[in-house]
Amino acid sequence: MRALSLFRHGVHPPDHKTLTAELAVKRMPFPARVVLPLSQHAGNPARCIVKVGDHVERGDKVAEADGYVSVPIHASATGTVSEIGLWPHPNGGYQPAVTIDVDPYSAQTRRQRLLPDWESLDQGALVKAVQEAGVVGLGGAAFPTHVKLVPPEGRKVTTLLVNGCECEPYLTTDHRTMVDYPERVHLGIRIMLECLGVKRALVGIELNKADAIQRMEETKPADLDVEIMGLRVRYPQGAEKMLIQSLLDREVPSGGLPADVGVIVQNVASIATIAEAFETGLPLIERIVTVTGNGVKKPANLIVPVGTILEDLIAACGGLTDDAAEVVLGGPMMGTACANLQAPVMKGTTGVVVLTKSEVRSREQQPCIRCGHCLDSCPVFLNPQLLGNLAKNDEIQEMTDNHLWDCMLCGCCSYVCPSNIPLSQMFAAAKDSARRAQASKA
Amino acid sequence: MSMKLPRLLVTASPHLKGPASTAKIMWHVTWSLLPVWGVAIWWYGPSAFLVVVAATAGCLLPERLFGKRGSLNDGSCVITGILLGLTLPPGIPLWMAFVGGFFSIAFGKLVFGGLGQNAFNPALLGRAFLQASFPVALTTWPAGGGEWWRLRGDNFALPLMRGDPADTVTEATPLALMKWDRESEAAQALGVDDLVFGMTGGSVGEGAAIVILLCGGYLALRNFLNWRIPASIFLSVAVFSGLLHLIDADRFASPQFMLFSGGLMLGAVYMATDMVTSPVTNRACWIFGFGIGFLTIVIRTWGGLPEGVMYAILLMNALVPFLNRWTQPRVFGTGRKKGAPA
C-alpha cells in the first residue's frame, strides 16, 4: 500500500475522532414519528404523492422525483401520514415536509424487494434503479448519485475513486462503514464497476484510519481490480478535486467535472448504500450518523431512520450536557449550525456534532494584517485575502473574475486567519448574491 | 419527549478555529525582540534602554489617543516602538526618539486607518522622518563598551536646546568608515567576528547579528514571519556585493562585511518581514527580498548615505501592491499560463 499526499496546502485541525472511532455502529430505536422534508438533496425538491391519513409501509414512496436532478423520498418507518406542511428544516427556516406517525405495534420488518437484482442491469437500468432508490451522496452535499453515474457526452470514465477520507474532524460514519461493513463497500464497488464498464477502483483512506484500511484490505475480493490507498491526514483531503489530485495526480479543470479527467468519485457511505439497497431491495431510508462532541452525553455511531427529529436522536444518545452550546449538522469545518432541534435528520446528514460553550467562544474580528496564511492554506490556490477585501466592498463581479466559483467553501482560510475574519462565510454570501444576480438576469 | 433545551448558538462554518491570532503573532515578535534589546543594553548601557523606552512611549501615546479602542492590546504598536528605538543611535536625545515614535504611529499608521492599512513600515517611516529632521543627531555614533553605566551622549538634552557633546566619545560606524574615509581595509579589519557579535559602533540594535538571526529563526519556525524574505535579502546582498567584490576587491567591500554590517540583519529579519507591509504571495516575497538586497547594495555603494537598508525597504514597500498583483497564484485547474486579473 502506498501513502500519497500530492495535494498541497490545506490545514490540519485536531480531529477529535477518538470520541466515536472505536464505537461499532448500532441501530437506534424507532422514534414516535419521522419527518421527511421534500427538499433534502441538491436539485429539485421531490413531489409529494401521499395525503394525510394514508397508511405507509417502511420503504413506500411518499414523494417522487421531480425531473432528472431529483430523487424520490421513501417512508423510513411504517405508520400513518399525519401532517403535510411546513416543518423546521435543518438548513434553517421552514420547508414542506411529510410527517409520519410511526406505528408503535409494527415490527418494521423487511418486506418484499422494491428494487430489482443488480446482476441483470445494464448502465441505463442501473441509473434508473439508483434514482428510484432515492440514493444521494451521503458525504454531505446530497447530490443525486444517479446523475454522477452518467458521464457527460464525450467523456469516458475509466476509474472509480471511492472516497473514504472523511477529513472532517469528529465524524466517523465513513470510518465505521468501512470497519463494520467492508464487504458491503466492496459489493458496491463491484456493482459500479460491472454496470458502468469502469475498469478499476481506488479507495482513498486517510492514514488515521488504520483499522479501516486493514479491514478493507482483508475483505477485498480477489477478482476485483480494487486498490486501497493510504492518504496523508490533511483537511480537505476528502474534497473531490483534492482526492483526485492525491490519488491520480490529475487536476480537474476549473469549473469542470471529475469526468473531465476520466474519473467518477463516490463517497464510501454512498457506495455502501447502493450495495445495501440492492441487497435488501429497500431504498435509502436510513443512514449511519455520528452523534458526537463534548456537548452530548453518550457519543455514538447510529443507524438512524431518515426523518428522525434531532431531539429524539440526541435523547437516544443520553441528551445534551449542561454546557452544550451549538449543534452542528455535518462536520465542524463545513457543517451548518442548527438551533431548532425539531429539524429532522436528512439523507445528507453525516453527523451531529455538539460543541460546548468553551469550544464556541467567539473571538473578536481584527483587521487583516496581510500575513498571507490564507493563501498558504487554500487548497485551490485562491487569494482569500484579495477576495475578502473585495467582499467587504461588495464587489461581486471582481470576485467572480478572481475565481470565486472555484472556492468550495472548505473553510481553511477562516480556520487559519489570525484576525478571525469570517472569509468563507463572506464567500458563501458572495456566491449567493452572484447566483441571485445571474438568476435575475436570466 | 421532554428534554431541557439549552439556548443554542448559530454561527457560520467553520466551527473550529486554528490557534493563530493577530495579538499572539505580534506579542511573539515583541518577546523575540527582547534578546536583541538586551545585547544592545549590554553594549551601550542605560542609553540603549532609555532610547527604546522613549521611542516606544512615543508610539503608544498616539495609538492610545487616536487609535481604535483596545488597539494597544494587539501589540503591533509596541513592536514599532522597539524597532524604531533599535534603529536610532544610542546617544540621541530622548525627546527626539519620542517624537520619532509619535510620528511613526500617527503618520505611519493611524492616518492610513490603523493596523493593517499602512503601506510603509511605520518604524522606518519614523526613522526616515528623524533622519530628515535631525541629521546630525542621527549620525552621531557613540562608542560602545567601556564603563557600562555611562550615558552614551546627551540623552537628556531638552527639545530645541543645544546639547553638550563634550564628554561623548564617538566613533565612526564600519559602513561610514568604508564610505567616507575609503578605509575599506580598516573597516574590514574589524573582522566579521566583531560584526556578528555586535562589537562595533552603530545604532542601538545593529549589533549582534547572531542574536537577531536566532530570534528570527524562532519566528520563522513558528510561522510568524515569512522566511523567504530574509533569505532572499541575504542571497541578493551576497550575490551583488560578491560580484562587485570580485570586480575590484579594493573598492568594494566583501559580501561578509555587507551582510553583517549596519542595519541589514535587523532590517531583513524584523523590518522587511512586517506582515502588513510585505507581500502576501510567496513568489512576491522572493522578489521583494531580492529588490531590498539589490537596492541596499546600490545605496551603500553609490548613494549619498553610508547605510541604505531603510530606504531600500521603504522603496520596496511601495511596490508591494504591484508585486502581489503580478504574482497571483495559479488557481487549481486553470492553465499554467492564465493569471488572475487583480
Side-chain angles (χ1 to χ4, degrees), chain A residues 54-113:
Chain A
D54 282 1
H55 175 80
V56 287
E57 289 281 321
R58 185 159 170 257
D60 279 352
K61 210 189 273 185
V62 298
E64 61 185 9
D66 182 16
Y68 183 59
V69 187
S70 181
V71 289
I73 288 162
H74 304 84
S76 52
T78 300
T80 314
V81 176
S82 63
E83 193 186 332
I84 298 171
L86 295 177
W87 190 271
H89 194 267
N91 295 344
Y94 288 72
Q95 295 272 333
V98 176
T99 304
I100 298 169
D101 283 345
V102 178
D103 177 0
Y105 302 108
S106 163
Q108 304 289 359
T109 46
R110 292 186 181 167
R111 44 187 288 189
Q112 92 251 27
R113 301 188 65 85

Side-chain angles (χ1 to χ4, degrees), chain A residues 169 241-242 245 251-254 311-312 315 319-320 324-328 332-335 337-339 341 355 360 363 367-373 375-376 379-383 385-386 401-403 406 411 414-415 417-420 424-425, chain B residues 1-23 25-26 68 74 115-119 223-224 226 228 275-282 320 324 328-334 336 339-342:
Chain A
K241 290 178 173 183
M242 310 306 75
Q245 191 185 28
E251 268 188 33
V252 177
S254 164
E311 194 180 17
D312 296 342
L320 298 177
E326 186 166 31
V327 174
V328 178
M333 292 301 282
M334 289 186 73
C338 181
L341 297 185
L355 302 171
V360 297
R363 294 202 257 174
C368 171
I369 54 167
R370 294 179 240 169
C371 63
H373 291 175
L375 282 96
D376 289 338
V380 290
F381 294 79
L382 301 176
N383 184 343
Q385 194 259 339
L386 173 68
D401 290 347
N402 281 289
H403 298 273
D406 286 287
S414 301
Y415 178 81
C417 180
S419 294
N420 303 318
S424 56
Q425 185 185 3
Chain B
M1 182 69 48
S2 76
M3 181 164 58
K4 200 178 132 259
L5 285 181
R7 294 165 69 85
L8 291 173
L9 276 175
V10 176
T11 61
S13 65
H15 304 277
L16 295 182
K17 182 69 189 70
S21 84
T22 298
I25 294 174
M26 296 297 177
K68 286 190 189 133
D74 67 30
L115 179 64
Q117 305 298 319
N118 49 305
N223 201 16
F224 295 148
N226 194 331
R228 293 163 188 88
M275 285 173 168
V276 175
T277 55
S278 62
V280 293
T281 68
N282 288 331
V320 163
N324 279 336
Q328 288 295 304
R330 182 186 69 85
V331 172
F332 189 95
T334 57
R336 297 231 160 240

Side-chain angles (χ1 to χ4, degrees), chain A residues 353-406:
Chain A
V353 181
V354 186
L355 302 171
T356 59
K357 275 192 190 106
S358 60
E359 291 166 322
V360 297
R361 184 172 50 100
S362 69
R363 294 202 257 174
E364 204 188 336
Q365 193 177 327
Q366 301 272 331
C368 171
I369 54 167
R370 294 179 240 169
C371 63
H373 291 175
C374 49
L375 282 96
D376 289 338
S377 76
C378 181
V380 290
F381 294 79
L382 301 176
N383 184 343
Q385 194 259 339
L386 173 68
L387 288 172
N389 274 340
L390 294 172
K392 232 184 262 168
N393 301 327
D394 241 355
E395 298 187 60
I396 308 292
Q397 185 57 48
E398 278 278 287
M399 288 180 79
T400 51
D401 290 347
N402 281 289
H403 298 273
L404 175 66
W405 293 117
D406 286 287

Side-chain angles (χ1 to χ4, degrees), chain A residues 20-256:
Chain A
T20 52
E22 302 291 318
L23 304 178
V25 174
K26 287 189 300 189
R27 179 173 287 277
M28 162 189 175
F30 278 87
R33 65 176 166 194
V34 290
V35 181
L36 304 164
L38 297 177
S39 172
Q40 40 180 306
H41 46 259
N44 294 335
R47 247 193 335 247
C48 182
I49 55 168
V50 291
K51 51 187 191 305
V52 173
D54 282 1
H55 175 80
V56 287
E57 289 281 321
R58 185 159 170 257
D60 279 352
K61 210 189 273 185
V62 298
E64 61 185 9
D66 182 16
Y68 183 59
V69 187
S70 181
V71 289
I73 288 162
H74 304 84
S76 52
T78 300
T80 314
V81 176
S82 63
E83 193 186 332
I84 298 171
L86 295 177
W87 190 271
H89 194 267
N91 295 344
Y94 288 72
Q95 295 272 333
V98 176
T99 304
I100 298 169
D101 283 345
V102 178
D103 177 0
Y105 302 108
S106 163
Q108 304 289 359
T109 46
R110 292 186 181 167
R111 44 187 288 189
Q112 92 251 27
R113 301 188 65 85
L114 296 172
L115 298 171
D117 281 324
W118 67 272
E119 277 98 342
S120 57
L121 301 178
D122 61 0
Q123 181 179 350
L126 177 84
V127 169
K128 209 162 161 20
V130 168
Q131 181 179 18
E132 273 307 292
V135 180
V136 298
L138 295 194
F143 189 77
T145 298
H146 66 277
V147 181
K148 291 216 289 193
L149 298 184
V150 186
E153 222 39 68
R155 297 278 184 273
K156 179 95 184 85
V157 169
T158 54
T159 313
L160 166 70
L161 297 190
V162 181
N163 190 349
C165 294
E166 201 162 44
C167 56
E168 275 272 10
Y170 286 98
L171 302 184
T172 53
T173 32
D174 294 351
H175 181 184
R176 288 317 301 190
T177 302
M178 291 184 286
V179 173
D180 294 338
Y181 309 104
E183 295 90 354
R184 198 174 269 169
V185 177
H186 284 302
L187 173 63
I189 293 171
R190 182 188 297 277
I191 295 172
M192 302 285 283
L193 291 190
E194 295 192 4
C195 293
L196 300 180
V198 173
K199 286 191 198 69
R200 61 166 184 159
L202 301 174
V203 185
I205 306 173
E206 277 194 346
L207 287 169
N208 57 358
K209 295 181 252 302
D211 51 345
I213 296 175
Q214 195 197 342
R215 290 282 286 143
M216 290 292 289
E217 284 283 1
E218 281 167 8
T219 54
K220 191 166 84 178
D223 62 330
L224 216 54
D225 188 1
V226 183
E227 205 178 331
I228 317 292
M229 308 258 225
L231 294 166
R232 183 178 62 146
V233 182
R234 188 101 185 139
Y235 179 87
Q237 183 67 262
E240 216 165 56
K241 290 178 173 183
M242 310 306 75
L243 183 70
I244 295 170
Q245 191 185 28
S246 289
L247 289 176
L248 300 168
D249 197 14
R250 296 180 197 163
E251 268 188 33
V252 177
S254 164

